[in-house]
């Protein structure tokens, strides 16, 4: 039997010089004629030209892709954010722009804070730190006092180191037992109501607090009259208060200049005593504030 020649038994295959195992076409299916070498050469040249164009086009696309990746990294870095994953974080060689690495560490700085403000009460808690000048006119300045819409006229003042001499009933003993060093008094009036404020000074806050605790309803300062203020609370019932702040204990005694007794219905007397209590503790606190401020600026 005659062996089958190439090309027999199926349709002729297209020959591609770039495709492995492809067969060259034969003219006439085994007729013995030589292949058309010129046509084959032209086809090969056309295919090579197309491949070169593809390579050039692919290179241009790659260049555009790199440029895009770098641009994204630059914008991201300039905007304060990190480059996106997969993009370049460096510009092409020769560039002076330094793009920070997404994995770079951020410098840390030790936290700073201002020192805590000085506590005003520390400066009025003991004689060792409470060194500012003190007098009736410093503690109770001016000639009148305005509390809200009420105006009180300032009357006589007094200052003594013999604390017991300016107190009555059970208060002298309380002051002596706790080593009171000074007692300042001032009187204010409003219409027919008068109030005397007494500020007892001690070496320490503990002594002032103890004096306040030991005082009772009979522990009162002596009313201070004179300078146009009539005598009050000498024999009549008056309203008194006791309190302390820092190394100061302060007392009020309020009543009528006409000598009548104070009752629970006399709201004006109670309001006067409360206003002078409030003003006194504010003045003591301001004393501490002034000294704390001065110490902070040294």
């Amino acid at each position: 039997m005659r062996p089958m020649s190439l090309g027999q038994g199926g349709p002729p295959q297209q020959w591609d010089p770039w495709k492995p195992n492809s067969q060259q076409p034969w003219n006439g299916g085994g007729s013995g004629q030589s292949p058309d070498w010129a046509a084959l050469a032209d086809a090969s040249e056309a295919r090579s030209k197309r491949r070169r164009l593809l390579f050039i086009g692919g290179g241009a696309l790659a260049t555009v892709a790199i440029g895009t990746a770098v641009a994204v990294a630059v914008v991201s870095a300039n905007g304060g954010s990190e480059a996106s994953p997969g993009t370049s974080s460096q510009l092409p060689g020769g560039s002076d722009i330094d793009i920070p690495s997404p994995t770079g560490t951020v410098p840390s700085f030790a936290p700073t804070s201002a020192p805590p403000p000085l506590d005003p009460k520390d400066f009025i808690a003991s004689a060792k730190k409470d060194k500012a000048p003190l007098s009736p006119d410093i503690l109770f300045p001016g000639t009148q006092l305005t509390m809200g819409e009420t105006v009180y006229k300032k009357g006589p003042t007094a200052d003594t180191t013999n604390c017991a001499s300016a107190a009555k009933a059970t208060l002298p003993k309380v002051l002596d037992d706790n080593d009171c060093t000074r007692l300042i008094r001032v009187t204010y009036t409003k219409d027919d109501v008068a109030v005397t404020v007494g500020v007892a000074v001690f070496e320490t806050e503990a002594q002032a607090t103890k004096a306040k605790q030991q005082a009772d309803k009979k522990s009162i300062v002596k009313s201070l009259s004179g300078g146009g203020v009539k005598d009050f609370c000498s024999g009549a019932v008056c309203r008194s208060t006791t309190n302390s702040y820092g190394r100061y204990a302060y007392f009020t005694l309020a009543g009528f200049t006409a000598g009548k007794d104070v009752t629970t219905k006399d709201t004006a007397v109670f309001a006067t005593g409360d206003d002078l209590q409030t003003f006194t503790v504010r003045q003591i606190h301001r004393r501490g504030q002034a000294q704390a401020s001065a110490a902070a600026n040294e």
Side-chain angles (χ1 to χ4, degrees):
M1 184 175 179
R2 185 180 176 181
M4 184 178 292
S5 62
L6 293 175
Q8 290 181 351
Q13 297 180 354
Q14 181 68 31
W15 176 66
D16 188 345
W18 300 98
K19 182 177 181 181
N21 302 321
S22 63
Q23 303 267 345
Q24 292 185 8
W26 299 98
N27 229 350
S31 61
Q33 294 182 357
S34 299
D36 189 349
W37 296 109
L40 294 175
D42 290 342
S44 176
E45 178 64 24
R47 290 186 181 92
S48 297
K49 186 175 181 181
R50 284 197 300 272
R51 286 189 177 274
R52 285 197 300 271
L53 290 175
L54 288 175
F55 286 144
I56 293 172
L61 290 174
T63 302
V64 172
I66 293 173
T68 302
V70 172
V72 170
V74 171
V75 171
S76 178
N78 290 342
S81 59
E82 298 175 353
S84 301
T87 61
S88 173
S89 60
Q90 295 181 351
L91 290 176
S95 173
D96 294 331
I97 301 177
D98 186 17
I99 305 299
S101 172
T103 59
T105 57
V106 179
S108 59
F109 301 94
T112 58
S113 60
L118 301 177
D119 187 354
K121 195 175 180 183
D122 288 344
F123 289 85
I124 54 173
S126 70
K128 292 181 179 180
K129 296 187 72 172
D130 190 10
K131 299 294 185 180
L134 179 64
S135 71
D137 288 334
I138 290 175
L139 202 56
F140 302 98
T143 59
Q144 65 181 28
L145 169 64
T146 301
M147 295 291 288
E149 298 180 353
T150 306
V151 178
Y152 299 98
K153 183 180 179 181
K154 182 181 174 182
T157 62
D159 189 2
T160 180
T161 56
N162 184 1
C163 300
S165 66
K168 293 176 64 174
T170 60
L171 186 56
K173 185 178 186 303
V174 171
L175 298 178
D176 286 342
D177 288 348
N178 292 286
D179 300 322
C180 175
T181 61
R182 189 173 181 180
L183 183 57
I184 295 173
R185 288 181 297 164
V186 61
T187 295
Y188 286 90
T189 60
K190 173 69 170 74
D191 300 328
D192 60 344
V193 176
V195 57
T196 293
V197 181
V199 179
V201 185
F202 299 86
E203 288 291 319
T204 66
E205 181 178 9
Q207 291 172 319
T209 302
K210 191 174 180 180
K212 179 190 73 172
Q213 294 171 344
Q214 292 178 349
D216 56 26
K217 294 182 179 179
K218 296 181 180 180
S219 300
I220 59 176
V221 294
K222 287 183 179 177
S223 62
L224 183 62
S225 58
V229 179
K230 297 179 180 179
D231 186 38
F232 66 101
C233 295
S234 294
V237 176
C238 289
R239 191 244 186 170
S240 65
T241 65
T242 300
N243 217 322
S244 69
Y245 185 69
R247 70 184 188 111
Y248 301 88
Y250 53 99
F251 311 86
T252 67
L253 183 68
F256 292 105
T257 54
K260 66 177 182 178
D261 292 341
V262 175
T263 69
T264 56
K265 296 180 181 180
D266 297 314
T267 56
V269 175
F270 281 79
T272 299
D274 291 344
D275 281 349
L276 266 297
Q277 258 200 119
T278 301
F279 179 72
T280 300
V281 72
R282 285 178 182 174
Q283 288 298 94
I284 296 171
H285 184 70
R286 289 189 184 109
R287 177 178 176 83
Q289 285 179 317
Q291 293 180 91
S293 178
N297 293 327
E298 288 181 354

